[in-house]
């Protein structure tokens, strides 16, 4: 849960490294929210084992947050390329609707084979949806926000068409496993999300892929000039985002054993964007932090839980989220830093301008 | 000018390169107009009672509020920005109007200016943040969207029905024209807004600044145009228009509800795009936006008349049309859009 920056730094550098670490603020916010909850509910941190399953508020946050973590994971890579994917909410709804639709009409809804076919169907369609987004963005050069807006508008209609406007309820033990089941005492959804995050982190950070994505986001023209095939990379991140959304859709519909074309994944794209931004990935692209995104998603989920804990009408969560978005964006904005935090800057020598500060940061980061 | 293979390639990627830029930007508009006529003709042939002027007027009656909101969105989109908060602002306005009129007994004459002021002020605030701190409009208006929708719920989580006689009276007034045709008061207001927007965009200094800002912001700045105040002003216009749209929707629904106007920001953007305004800014027509709103309304009407179609086909068709028009505009515009 807590991500500590490298402890093996030179003794004098630890404090500064810790203070400057980009995951510090998200981690502190999360901690503060959790402690705030503890003040209201003294057993907030208690985790019990009942029937061989883990129970407790913290486990709940992880379990209900798992779909958001996944959607935000895909969104992180899209945003790293300077894009945005508004269609994930619709993809969540479509994936759930397809899977539940398949299971409800299958001859043997309780079999593992049916569950796997349903999941494969949802992922297959998500692949197509992601490809279409990717084609619009990289093939036709449409702005990402517009390209994915199309699927966002039409997708929910498609999801309702699949479910025929009804809420499809399914009873299938293997399907229930994806979002509501337990494995090795842990909620399966949490393990699945953790595995996918770990896999993504491994692939992007242990290969050049992450750097290439950041390069395309940082400067598309320069990347093209050095021979990076930006088109393929762009298409790839939109496909990845759609696949993540589809898995999240399976989780959400599996957890409640039903598919709701109207409400499944409603506004999850906004929560995901918020999670990514809170996690320190700038919307201007060029760099991303998967750890930050996971923290961000957990913050959003904890925020929702906190609102429930406080007994405030849950709908007012939106007001809190609005303030979080604005504060985080202001703090990230270079102009805001320059205008409001100027006094602090001028007291430190050699960092009057951003140009002067840049090499310093590089030294610290090296 | 270009020759040989290069010329052929350019012809392939930009099939409309030979058409003059002025005509090129109008092609989506012409396509929309043709589409509207075709939809109306096919509807008239297929459905009993479709071919009547009242059907067209009903489009305005049912979509007057959307027209006002979309006109505001057009201002923002012309500068190359985007306003995602309009749907929530509409909902907040219906909520505020209904709450003040019903629960507090305020006179309508005091409530409406107040609601409009709230809309314009929130738009100004968002524009100010976007301009001053150089944060993307997308994320600032996203926050505005959350905030407005959340504030609705803090007023009430239930729908507030309006039984105030003045409001109900205005809402039910029908203005009769020749041949027994009628429109509602909101339609007149919506059309007035459209005319004002047209005059402002095409015949005032502010309008030219809006186009210049969307065409190329740094050029506009270098020419000495007030880029900052123009940018703030378009968001103020959008906020004002969504508040007015909200007031009109309150008359239409005779209620305030936090779930009113869900997804209207998308409808407004769709209407603007289908009406031929480039999402990259700098080129577009507010009258086209009105055509776009009529097309969206027409889709709804056709789905209603068909009867056997589920209403969610509307969403799918709007999405498909949006796709067609965006691809069409990409093919039309000679240059690649400058990202951001």
């Amino acid at each position: 849960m807590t991500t500590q920056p490298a402890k093996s730094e030179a003794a004098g550098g630890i404090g500064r490294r810790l203070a400057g670490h980009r995951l510090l603020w998200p981690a502190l916010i999360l901690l503060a929210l959790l402690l705030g909850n503890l003040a209201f509910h003294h057993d907030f941190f208690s985790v019990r084992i009942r029937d061989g399953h883990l129970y407790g508020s913290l486990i709940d946050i992880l379990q209900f947050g798992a779909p958001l973590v996944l959607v935000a994971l895909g969104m992180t890579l899209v945003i790293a390329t300077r894009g945005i994917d508004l269609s994930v909410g619709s993809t969540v709804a479509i994936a759930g609707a397809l899977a539940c639709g398949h299971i409800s009409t299958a001859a043997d809804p309780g079999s593992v084979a049916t569950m796997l076919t349903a999941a494969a169907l949802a992922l297959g369609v998500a692949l197509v949806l992601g490809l279409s987004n990717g084609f619009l963005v990289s093939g036709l050069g449409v702005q990402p926000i517009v390209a994915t807006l199309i699927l966002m508008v039409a997708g929910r209609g498609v999801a309702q068409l699949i479910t025929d406007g009804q809420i499809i309820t399914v009873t299938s033990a293997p399907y229930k496993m994806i979002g509501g089941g337990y494995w090795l005492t842990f909620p399966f959804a949490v393990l699945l999300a953790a595995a996918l995050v770990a896999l993504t982190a491994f692939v992007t950070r242990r290969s050049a892929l992450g750097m290439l994505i950041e390069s395309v986001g940082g400067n598309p023209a320069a990347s093209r000039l050095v021979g990076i095939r930006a088109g393929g990379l762009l298409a790839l991140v939109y496909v990845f985002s759609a696949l993540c959304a589809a898995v999240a859709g399976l989780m959400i519909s599996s957890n409640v054993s039903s598919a709701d074309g109207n409400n499944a994944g409603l506004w999850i794209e906004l929560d995901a964007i918020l999670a990514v931004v809170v996690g320190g990935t700038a919307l201007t692209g060029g760099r991303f932090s998967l750890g930050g995104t996971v923290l961000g998603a957990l913050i959003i989920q904890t925020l929702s839980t906190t609102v429930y804990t406080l007994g405030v009408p849950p709908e007012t969560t939106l007001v809190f989220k609005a303030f979080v978005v604005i504060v985080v964006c202001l703090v990230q904005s270079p102009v805001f830093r320059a205008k409001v935090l100027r006094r602090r800057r001028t007291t430190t020598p050699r960092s009057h301008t951003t140009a002067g500060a840049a090499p310093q940061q590089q030294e610290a980061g090296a | 000018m270009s020759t040989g293979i290069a010329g052929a390639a350019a012809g392939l990627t930009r099939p409309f390169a030979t058409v003059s830029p002025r005509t090129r930007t109008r092609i989506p508009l012409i396509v929309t107009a043709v589409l509207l006529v075709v939809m109306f003709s096919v509807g008239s042939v297929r459905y009993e009672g479709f071919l009547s002027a009242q059907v067209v007027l009903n489009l305005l009656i049912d979509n007057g509020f959307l027209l006002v909101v979309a006109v505001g969105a057009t201002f923002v989109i012309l500068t190359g920005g985007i306003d995602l908060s309009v749907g929530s602002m509409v909902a907040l306005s219906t909520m505020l109007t209904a709450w003040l009129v019903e629960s507090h007994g305020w006179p309508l004459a005091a409530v409406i200016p107040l609601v409009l002021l709230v809309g314009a002020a929130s738009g100004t605030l968002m524009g100010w943040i976007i301009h001053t701190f150089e944060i993307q409009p997308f994320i600032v208006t996203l926050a505005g969207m959350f905030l407005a929708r959340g504030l609705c719920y803090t007023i009430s989580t239930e729908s507030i029905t309006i039984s105030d006689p003045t409001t109900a009276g205005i809402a039910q007034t029908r203005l009769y024209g020749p041949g027994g045709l009628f429109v509602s008061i909101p339609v007149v207001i919506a059309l007035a807004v459209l005319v004002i927007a047209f005059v402002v965009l095409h015949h005032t200094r502010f309008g030219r600044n809006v186009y210049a800002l969307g065409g190329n912001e740094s050029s506009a700045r270098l020419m000495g145009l007030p880029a900052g105040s123009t940018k703030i002003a378009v968001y103020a216009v959008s906020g004002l228009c969504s508040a007015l749209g909200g007031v009109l929707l309150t008359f239409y629904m005779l209620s305030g509800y936090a779930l009113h106007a869900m997804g209207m920001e998308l409808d407004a953007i769709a209407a603007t795009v289908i009406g031929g305004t480039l999402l990259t800014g700098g080129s577009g027509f507010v009258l086209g936006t009105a055509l776009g709103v009529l097309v969206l309304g027409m889709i709804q009407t056709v789905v209603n008349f068909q009867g056997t179609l589920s209403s969610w086909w509307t969403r799918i068709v709007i999405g498909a049309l949006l796709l067609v028009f965006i691809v069409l505009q990409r093919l039309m515009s000679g240059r690649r859009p400058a990202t951001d």
Side-chain angles (χ1 to χ4, degrees):
Chain A
M1 283 265 299
T2 50
T3 44
Q4 294 296 325
K7 283 176 185 155
S8 57
E9 285 295 311
I14 288 180
R16 202 184 306 156
R17 283 275 296 177
L18 198 66
H21 198 280
R22 56 181 170 173
L23 291 188
L24 178 75
W25 282 107
L28 282 182
I29 295 172
L30 182 59
L31 195 64
L33 272 175
L34 290 173
L35 288 175
N37 275 295
L38 188 63
F40 282 91
H41 285 259
H42 296 291
D43 59 346
F44 191 78
F45 279 3
S46 71
V47 172
R48 292 171 300 279
I49 294 186
R50 200 186 298 155
D51 307 331
H53 299 161
L54 283 174
Y55 283 97
S57 301
L58 293 180
I59 303 296
D60 281 351
I61 290 176
L62 287 177
Q63 182 167 6
F64 292 126
L68 180 58
V69 168
L70 280 182
V71 174
L73 179 71
M75 188 72 81
T76 309
L77 295 192
V78 173
I79 288 180
T81 65
R82 209 184 271 192
I84 202 103
D85 189 351
L86 294 181
S87 69
V88 286
S90 294
T91 310
V92 163
I94 291 175
L98 271 177
C100 289
H102 176 76
I103 292 174
S104 68
T105 55
D108 183 13
S111 77
V112 176
T114 310
M115 182 273 276
L116 288 179
T117 324
L121 195 64
L123 291 177
V125 169
L127 183 74
V128 174
L129 296 178
L131 274 176
S132 74
N133 278 340
F135 172 72
L136 283 176
V137 173
S138 75
L140 290 176
V142 178
Q143 287 162 291
I145 184 172
V146 179
T148 54
L149 183 73
I150 297 167
L151 186 53
M152 183 186 182
V153 175
R156 217 158 268 285
V158 172
Q160 291 204 312
L161 201 66
I162 297 169
T163 63
D164 206 17
Q166 309 288 315
I167 295 177
I168 302 181
T169 314
V170 292
T171 35
S172 163
Y175 189 64
K176 179 79 186 169
M177 180 77 182
I178 301 175
Y182 286 83
W183 192 54
L184 303 174
T185 75
F186 273 99
F188 185 72
V190 176
L191 295 176
L192 186 58
L196 284 173
V197 170
L199 187 70
T200 311
F202 183 79
V203 171
T204 52
R205 292 309 185 195
R206 292 288 150 185
S207 74
L209 190 64
M211 196 192 67
L212 294 180
I213 289 174
E214 289 185 332
S215 148
V216 169
N219 191 333
S223 313
R224 202 177 61 247
L225 288 176
V226 298
I228 297 173
R229 287 185 52 224
L233 272 175
L234 278 178
L236 182 72
V237 295
Y238 286 94
V239 168
F240 178 69
S241 171
L243 288 177
C244 284
V247 177
L250 291 178
M251 272 182 193
I252 291 172
S253 68
S254 147
N255 196 19
V256 292
S257 290
S258 62
D260 181 352
N262 218 7
N263 292 314
L266 192 62
W267 291 2
I268 204 171
E269 58 276 339
L270 308 179
D271 278 352
I273 294 164
L274 185 53
V276 174
V277 174
V278 168
T281 300
L283 279 169
T284 42
R287 61 189 283 202
F288 65 92
S289 161
L290 294 177
T293 295
V294 174
L295 279 179
L298 292 177
I299 289 174
I300 308 294
Q301 189 60 43
T302 313
L303 198 63
S304 308
T305 312
T306 310
V307 171
Y308 280 106
T309 315
L310 293 177
V312 188
E315 293 85 357
T316 48
T317 322
L318 289 172
V319 178
F320 294 101
K321 281 182 189 166
F323 282 111
V324 174
V325 178
I326 275 303
V327 168
V328 168
C329 284
L330 282 180
V331 171
Q332 280 190 1
S333 150
V335 184
F336 180 81
R337 288 180 185 213
K339 281 185 180 165
V340 179
L341 311 175
R342 188 189 292 139
R343 213 160 52 99
R344 197 201 284 178
R345 276 192 165 208
T346 45
T347 53
T348 27
R350 291 197 298 154
S351 60
H352 280 281
T353 61
T354 39
Q360 234 185 357
Q361 277 173 1
Q362 272 192 337
E363 272 169 27
Chain B
M1 262 179 272
S2 51
T3 52
I5 297 166
L12 270 180
T13 51
R14 297 177 206 156
F16 299 93
T18 47
V19 186
S20 79
R22 196 179 161 81
T23 321
R24 227 191 288 156
T25 54
R26 302 229 159 139
I27 290 176
L29 192 64
I30 298 162
V31 172
T32 309
V34 170
L35 189 69
L36 197 59
V37 172
V38 167
M39 282 168 77
F40 188 63
S41 314
V42 171
S44 308
V45 173
R46 287 199 58 171
Y47 311 113
E48 191 100 0
F50 195 93
L51 179 64
S52 81
Q54 191 57 49
V55 167
V56 180
L57 290 181
N58 283 347
L59 287 182
L60 286 172
I61 294 175
D62 296 335
N63 295 290
F65 47 89
L66 178 59
L67 177 58
V68 175
V69 174
V71 163
T74 308
F75 275 81
V76 173
I77 292 175
L78 277 175
T79 64
I82 200 147
D83 189 349
L84 294 180
S85 72
V86 292
S88 303
M89 253 336 281
V90 167
L92 183 60
S93 304
T94 68
M95 210 67 194
L96 264 181
T97 315
W99 181 59
L100 289 175
V101 168
E102 277 304 305
S103 312
H104 295 262
W106 285 34
L108 208 54
V111 171
I112 291 176
L114 180 74
V115 169
L116 296 184
L117 189 69
V118 169
S122 66
T124 311
L125 180 66
M126 286 191 290
W128 179 77
I129 293 176
I130 291 165
H131 168 66
T132 314
F133 301 117
E134 289 170 23
I135 305 179
Q136 283 167 314
F138 161 74
I139 196 84
V140 175
T141 55
L142 184 69
M145 173 191 195
F146 277 138
L147 187 63
R149 196 68 79 171
L151 286 176
C152 288
Y153 287 113
T154 59
I155 295 175
S156 167
T157 50
E158 304 289 316
S159 169
I160 305 176
T161 312
I162 298 179
S163 48
D164 170 59
T166 325
T167 320
I170 295 174
Q172 281 147 12
T173 305
R174 286 177 170 190
L175 305 170
Y176 284 93
L181 297 171
F182 63 88
V183 291
S184 57
I185 292 176
V187 173
V188 178
I189 298 175
L191 290 177
V193 168
L194 181 65
V195 171
I196 294 171
F198 178 78
V199 172
V200 166
L201 277 176
H202 295 286
H203 298 284
T204 66
R205 186 182 296 264
F206 174 67
R208 282 193 292 277
N209 290 349
V210 167
Y211 277 95
L213 191 61
N216 190 330
E217 187 173 341
S218 39
S219 302
R221 215 181 284 274
L222 287 173
M223 279 193 290
L225 298 182
S229 59
T230 308
K231 205 185 256 185
I232 296 174
V234 292
Y235 288 94
V237 168
S238 175
L240 179 66
C241 284
S242 20
L244 182 59
V247 170
L248 298 188
L249 185 64
T250 318
F251 284 123
Y252 185 75
M253 298 275 197
L254 273 182
S255 68
Y257 190 27
L259 286 176
H260 275 336
M262 282 292 274
M264 192 183 272
E265 50 282 330
L266 303 178
D267 288 342
I269 295 168
T272 311
V273 172
I274 292 173
T277 300
L278 273 186
L279 272 159
T280 38
S283 163
F285 321 91
V286 73
L287 292 182
T289 301
L291 279 187
V293 170
L294 290 180
V295 165
L296 297 190
M298 192 63 97
I299 295 171
Q300 185 79 55
T301 311
V302 168
V303 168
N304 285 348
F305 265 83
Q306 177 66 28
T308 55
L309 283 179
S310 346
S311 62
W312 39 87
W313 271 105
T314 317
R315 308 288 294 167
I316 299 176
V317 177
I318 293 175
L321 265 188
L322 200 53
L323 176 67
V324 169
F325 275 85
I326 284 167
V327 171
L328 191 67
Q329 290 190 350
R330 275 298 301 135
L331 296 176
M332 248 24 102
S333 63
R335 59 186 172 129
R336 286 184 72 86
T339 31
D340 303 340

